[in-house]
Amino acid sequence: MEIPRRKTLPREIPSWVDPQKEIYFISINCEERFKNQLALPDVSKRLFETVRHRQEKFLWWPYLFLLMPDHLHALLSFPASGKSLKLVVSKWKEWTAKVLGIVWQRDFFEHRLRHDESRREKADYILQNPVRKKLVARAEDWPFVHFGDGERRQFDR
């Protein structure tokens, strides 16, 4: 029996959107769900090194990058690099799969924040994820989070 494949959503950015001025909410799942593969000290350290490396290469700006046991959430901007959002994220997934052995689900979820959405609302949603999953009592206690500027920042409302 052939298993049907999910349809992929188009990743083309409309011509009226300036990707350098946009913030994207991104979620990426591990292939095997409900198993801790990411929220581990050694794995998180190496993953955050790759996040910083791509930040230093101006491939993305990670406002917030939070690892959960079997998925991650991020708020990212993509500076002008001549590379599409899909390519940048896919290449990161490919590299982490080869080097760190993480098996990701095919594709990823991305949502461009609209004018009526704030970074603060999305950041709060992301930061509360470990609390909602009862992994910690307070968001501040979750160690598997990276901020592009190196500290927990206050987002514009």
Side-chain angles (χ1 to χ4, degrees):
M1 178 172 94
E2 187 174 326
I3 298 173
R5 286 183 65 106
R6 277 189 299 189
K7 285 185 178 181
T8 58
L9 297 173
R11 293 261 189 263
E12 301 304 316
I13 297 173
S15 60
W16 48 268
V17 171
D18 182 350
Q20 299 172 53
K21 296 179 181 176
E22 302 296 336
I23 299 171
Y24 293 85
F25 170 65
I26 294 181
S27 295
I28 305 173
N29 293 322
C30 292
E31 180 69 35
E32 186 176 350
R33 298 302 306 265
F34 311 109
K35 176 183 173 190
N36 188 5
Q37 301 167 73
L38 306 177
L40 302 164
D42 289 341
V43 172
S44 66
K45 180 181 180 219
R46 295 187 69 196
L47 280 171
F48 291 147
E49 286 171 0
T50 70
V51 171
R52 278 188 292 278
H53 175 76
R54 280 157 180 74
Q55 178 180 349
E56 291 165 2
K57 295 290 184 189
F58 303 106
L59 294 173
W60 63 28
W61 175 261
Y63 294 95
L64 171 61
F65 211 98
L66 182 132
L67 304 176
M68 291 294 287
D70 61 355
H71 66 282
L72 66 85
H73 297 293
L75 288 178
L76 300 169
S77 286
F78 296 86
S81 70
K83 297 177 178 152
S84 70
L85 175 155
K86 181 179 181 177
L87 180 66
V88 171
V89 174
S90 296
K91 287 294 185 184
W92 179 79
K93 284 175 58 180
E94 181 181 314
W95 192 91
T96 57
K98 283 181 190 172
V99 175
L100 302 179
I102 298 168
V103 181
W104 302 107
Q105 283 186 6
R106 182 176 55 89
D107 220 349
F108 59 94
F109 170 82
E110 76 46 41
H111 169 74
R112 181 175 56 87
L113 272 59
R114 305 301 196 261
H115 296 292
D116 59 342
E117 296 174 298
S118 76
R119 283 188 288 169
R120 177 78 261 161
E121 289 169 350
K122 287 298 181 191
D124 285 344
Y125 171 81
I126 291 169
L127 292 169
Q128 288 299 315
N129 204 347
V131 176
R132 281 191 304 277
K133 298 293 184 179
K134 299 186 181 355
L135 298 171
V136 291
R138 300 175 321 138
E140 305 83 57
D141 296 334
W142 188 246
F144 307 106
V145 62
H146 170 79
F147 293 88
D149 63 2
E151 59 185 64
R152 286 187 184 265
R153 54 184 304 239
Q154 296 299 313
F155 290 85
D156 298 333
R157 291 209 178 266

